[in-house]
């Protein structure tokens, strides 16, 4: 009898080896503070939930293109102000309720409401009315034409939620996605299982576990020990060559929408003087920062725009590394002896290491930047909200976010009516060629005004087991989309 | 002269000299980064290699020695300056309410784990070398106060103190003229031990980012920076690690040796 059990278990063991694995453990750096992508600002919320649990009317693909999501098609009125979305049939939420036009109206009205806590209310700002035509048709009226509307609706902040489950969304997210939320052990992991009633193509994975490891050393150990199968956004670029050399792993390096900039407080003297800002820009050796802080990962940028975007204009020539001219500019601005300012740095290594390099480069032209290291919460409070800073380094990971320069209350405090008018015009323009021209103009204005020091486009490194397929290489939005992921044979 | 004293003194003097030398000369300027030459191993041009920014590690160690010694010295100074008078007062007013007040106050400070409070202080008032000194220094106060009181109490019973009291000397003068000179040796030994603890505390605070801020060099921060580089450039972690080890070992041996030398009774037992 014992013998039979033994044989059976050996057979079972071999069977499980032969069949492809159907579960996956994915690590990311930060844990989401809550699970409501329509209410919280943290990028980690989208990383875990986007496309896996929640879906929007449209969605991002791994290459950054926008494709139909819960809306299978849409029609734009002649004047460009009315979008009529036709929803997919037979879509249900994970709790069994059907997803229909009422849910879409609920989600959009909730996001744009006065008291909404949505982190990207700007996405919904031009909606004037949402009407339910029939259960599968929704009409969205805008206050002007907006060629970007389908793109806006693809964001994680615009996913469709249901009124039936909204109350507990922050701890028990109920969406329409290919995976169903099953458990969240705070501080440790979040688990999800395959949605057997999914409307689209069923994912290859049966279950997925997200783990949160922010410490670079612990991340390295977890991947090396194979505690995790995938690490998206691996925090220590210096360790990547070791993974590349190891046949157990594959390393994917992709681009993100993260413009890493030397944020400058444009209202704080002496940075209110464009000559000083230009001097700072010329004092920065971008390649040294990319090599020193990122171990070579990253693309230099000359303006606040992603280089892989077709509308990107190469403006690096506006701010070449030229410390001599920088010194001359400082003298012209009346700061021949330099000055002292603050450099407040959030935790990521691009900021902490980059900050030390920039402080050293600024010292060369006589500017003494006093470094203060801050945790994220402190950074949001002191720099982002209170605007109590001279310089800071941060990566702006939202896609197509050049519009933030039109907001004079944003933490750079850049107030340029010309740029604000340009952005208004851009929002009204639907013609692609005209939009490109306007975007080019916008990039040039902020580059020539030296609003911030433009450093590099953040790269994202994903370390995964060698036989995992279908991972996103690039991060067009913060997401770890597992719907297309599978283990190779 | 015993062996541990010689080794301890030797190590301490080496680091002290390195720190002093850094005021006039270091092999390289550590404020200028040389990124193309980062993470080089030990070589003729960089005796202890370079770090992730291409800075010369030997120069960093020298500048870091300065930070460590300055922080630890000032922290011990705070402890001595405030702790010893408190202890002398408590001993002079032995049994009084003042004595109770001072000693229970010391117990209160002593009750908290020192590093936790140091973290609290630097987190509230901002991370800087000055705040690290204050945070470490506060915890030296009860150490010296207790030791002073414990050593002074038996002295107050001695005949020479009695004689001084009979002559009408006020307790303050007795404390300074008769008690203090007799406990100085003890303070030197304890000071050495606290000094080495101060070096460790400074390294720990800098390691978690609450000590001296860049570009000021600090051994603890060198360790923290090297953490992810251990597998590709081990020397970046080993050098500051061993530096801290040797410095603390040296000071402890020195303290041990001093105690044996100063206390004849102990010396007799050992030999």
């Amino acid at each position: 009898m014992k013998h039979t059990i033994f044989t059976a278990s050996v057979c079972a063991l071999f069977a499980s080896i032969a069949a492809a694995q159907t579960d996956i453990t994915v690590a990311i750096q930060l844990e989401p503070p809550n699970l409501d992508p329509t209410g919280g600002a943290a990028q980690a919320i989208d990383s875990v939930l986007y496309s896996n649990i929640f879906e929007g009317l449209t969605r991002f693909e791994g290459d950054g293109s926008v494709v139909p999501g819960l809306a299978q098609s849409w029609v734009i009125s002649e004047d460009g102000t009315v979008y009529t979305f036709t929803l997919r049939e037979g879509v249900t939420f994970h709790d069994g309720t059907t997803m229909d036009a009422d849910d879409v109206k609920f989600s959009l009205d909730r996001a744009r409401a006065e008291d909404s806590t949505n982190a990207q209310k700007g996405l919904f700002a031009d909606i004037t009315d949402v009407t339910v035509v029939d259960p599968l048709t929704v009409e969205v009226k805008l206050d002007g034409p907006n060629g970007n509307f389908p793109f806006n609706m693809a964001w994680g902040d615009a996913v469709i939620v249901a009124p039936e489950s909204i109350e507990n969304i922050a701890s028990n997210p109920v969406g329409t996605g290919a995976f169903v939320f099953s458990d969240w052990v705070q501080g440790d992991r979040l688990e999800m299982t395959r949605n057997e009633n999914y409307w689209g193509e069923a994912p290859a994975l049966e279950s997925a576990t997200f783990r949160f490891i922010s410490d670079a050393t612990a991340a390295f150990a977890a991947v090396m020990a194979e505690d995790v199968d995938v690490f998206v956004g691996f925090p220590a670029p210096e360790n990547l060559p070791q993974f590349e050399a190891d046949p157990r792993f594959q390393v994917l390096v992709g681009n993100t929408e993260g413009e890493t900039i030397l944020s400058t407080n444009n209202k704080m003297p002496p940075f209110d003087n464009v000559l000083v800002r230009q001097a700072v820009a010329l004092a920065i050796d971008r390649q040294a920062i990319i090599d020193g802080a990122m171990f070579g990962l990253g693309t230099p940028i000359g303006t606040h725009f992603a280089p892989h975007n077709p509308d990107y204009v190469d403006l690096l020539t506006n701010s070449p590394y030229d410390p001599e001219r920088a010194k001359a500019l400082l003298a012209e601005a009346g700061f021949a002896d330099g000055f002292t300012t603050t450099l407040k740095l959030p935790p990521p290594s691009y900021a902490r290491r980059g900050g030390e390099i920039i402080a050293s480069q600024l010292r060369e032209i006589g500017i003494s930047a006093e470094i203060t290291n801050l945790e994220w919460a402190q950074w949001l409070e002191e720099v982002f909200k209170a605007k109590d800073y001279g310089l800071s380094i941060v990566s702006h990971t939202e896609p197509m976010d050049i519009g933030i320069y039109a907001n004079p209350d944003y933490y750079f405090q850049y107030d340029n009516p010309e740029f604000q008018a340009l952005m208004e015009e851009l929002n009204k323009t639907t013609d692609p060629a005209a939009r490109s021209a306007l975007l080019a103009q916008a990039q040039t204005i902020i580059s020539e005004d030296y609003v911030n020091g433009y450093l590099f486009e953040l790269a994202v490194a994903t370390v995964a087991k060698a036989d995992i397929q279908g991972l996103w290489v690039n991060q067009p939005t913060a997401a770890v989309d597992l719907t297309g992921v599978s283990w190779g044979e | 002269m015993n062996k541990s004293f010689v080794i301890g003194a030797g190590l301490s003097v080496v680091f002290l000299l390195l720190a002093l030398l850094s005021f006039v000369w270091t092999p390289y300027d550590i404020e200028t980064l040389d990124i193309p030459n980062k993470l080089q191993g030990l070589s003729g041009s960089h005796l202890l290699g370079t770090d992730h920014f291409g800075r010369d590690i030997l120069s960093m160690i020298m500048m870091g020695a300065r930070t460590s010694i300055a922080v630890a010295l000032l922290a011990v100074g705070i402890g001595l300056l405030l702790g010893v008078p408190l202890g002398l007062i408590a001993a002079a007013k032995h049994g009084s309410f003042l004595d109770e007040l001072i000693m229970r106050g010391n117990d209160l400070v002593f009750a908290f784990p020192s590093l936790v409070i140091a973290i609290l202080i630097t987190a509230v008032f901002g991370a800087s070398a000055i705040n690290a000194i204050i945070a470490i220094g506060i915890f030296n106060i009860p150490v010296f106060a207790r030791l002073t009181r414990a050593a002074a109490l038996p002295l107050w019973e001695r005949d020479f103190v009695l004689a001084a009291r009979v002559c009408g000397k006020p307790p303050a003068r007795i404390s300074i003229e008769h008690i203090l000179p007799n406990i100085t040796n003890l303070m030197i030994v304890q000071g050495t031990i606290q000094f080495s603890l101060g070096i460790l505390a400074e390294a720990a605070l800098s390691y978690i980012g609450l000590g001296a801020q860049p570009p000021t060099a600090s051994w603890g921060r060198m360790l923290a920076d090297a953490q992810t580089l251990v597998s590709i450039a081990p020397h970046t972690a080993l050098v500051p690690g061993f530096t801290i080890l040797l410095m603390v070992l040296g000071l402890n041996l020195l303290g041990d040796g001093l105690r044996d030398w100063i206390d004849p009774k102990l010396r007799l037992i050992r030999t």
Side-chain angles (χ1 to χ4, degrees), chain A residues 215-217 220 236 238-239 242 288-289 291-292 295 353 356-357 360 363-364 371-373, chain B residues 30-33 35 38-39 52-53 55 123 209 213-215 221 225 227-229 231-232:
Chain A
D215 180 70
T217 321
F220 178 73
E238 57 268 40
N239 293 133
Q242 280 169 288
I289 298 167
D291 287 344
F295 286 73
R353 284 186 182 154
E356 279 194 61
I357 299 171
S360 157
R363 246 190 326 268
E364 300 284 312
I371 291 176
T372 314
N373 290 338
Chain B
I30 64 157
E31 299 210 343
T32 319
L33 311 182
I35 287 158
K38 66 180 177 191
L39 299 178
H52 59 293
F53 289 150
R55 292 176 294 196
Q213 296 297 303
R221 214 183 48 255
D225 284 344
Q227 208 169 331
T228 56
L229 303 165
S231 47
I232 46 175

Side-chain angles (χ1 to χ4, degrees), chain A residues 6 11 54 86 90 165 183 192-193 205 214 223 234 250 259 269 308 310 329 345 362 373 401 403 413 434 455:
Chain A
F6 179 72
C11 287
F54 286 112
T86 307
S165 52
D183 193 19
M192 50 182 80
T193 52
L205 297 169
S214 55
V223 178
F234 191 78
Q250 56 177 327
E259 291 82 24
H308 52 264
L329 284 166
L345 304 173
L362 291 180
N373 290 338
D401 53 357
Q413 308 203 75
L455 306 177

Side-chain angles (χ1 to χ4, degrees), chain A residues 277-354:
Chain A
R277 297 200 300 265
Q278 189 182 359
V280 169
L282 294 183
I284 294 170
D285 178 1
R286 295 185 180 86
Q287 201 54 47
I289 298 167
I290 293 172
D291 287 344
M294 302 306 292
F295 286 73
L297 289 189
T299 318
I301 51 171
T303 183
H304 196 108
F305 218 73
H308 52 264
N309 191 303
D311 290 330
Y312 175 71
V313 187
D314 186 346
L315 294 164
L316 285 167
T317 45
N318 279 340
S319 46
Y321 176 50
D322 189 348
E324 288 312 312
R325 235 184 93 209
K327 262 187 219 165
L329 284 166
L330 267 192
E332 196 186 328
F335 294 97
D337 301 328
F339 56 88
T340 302
T341 185
T342 55
L343 177 55
K344 300 197 170 178
L345 304 173
S349 67
Y350 66 74
R352 292 280 167 92
R353 284 186 182 154

Side-chain angles (χ1 to χ4, degrees), chain B residues 4 11 27 41 52 55 71 81 85 90 101 104 108 116 164 167 192 200 227 231 236-237:
Chain B
S4 66
L11 280 172
H52 59 293
R55 292 176 294 196
V71 168
L81 235 70
L101 192 73
R104 297 298 80 77
L108 191 74
V116 175
C167 290
T192 322
L200 268 185
Q227 208 169 331
S231 47
T236 54

Side-chain angles (χ1 to χ4, degrees), chain B residues 71-81 137 140 144 191-192 194-196 198:
Chain B
V71 168
L73 208 59
L74 288 169
V76 170
I78 291 176
L80 279 171
L81 235 70
N140 281 328
F144 286 106
T192 322
Q194 291 308 118
F195 188 76
S196 76

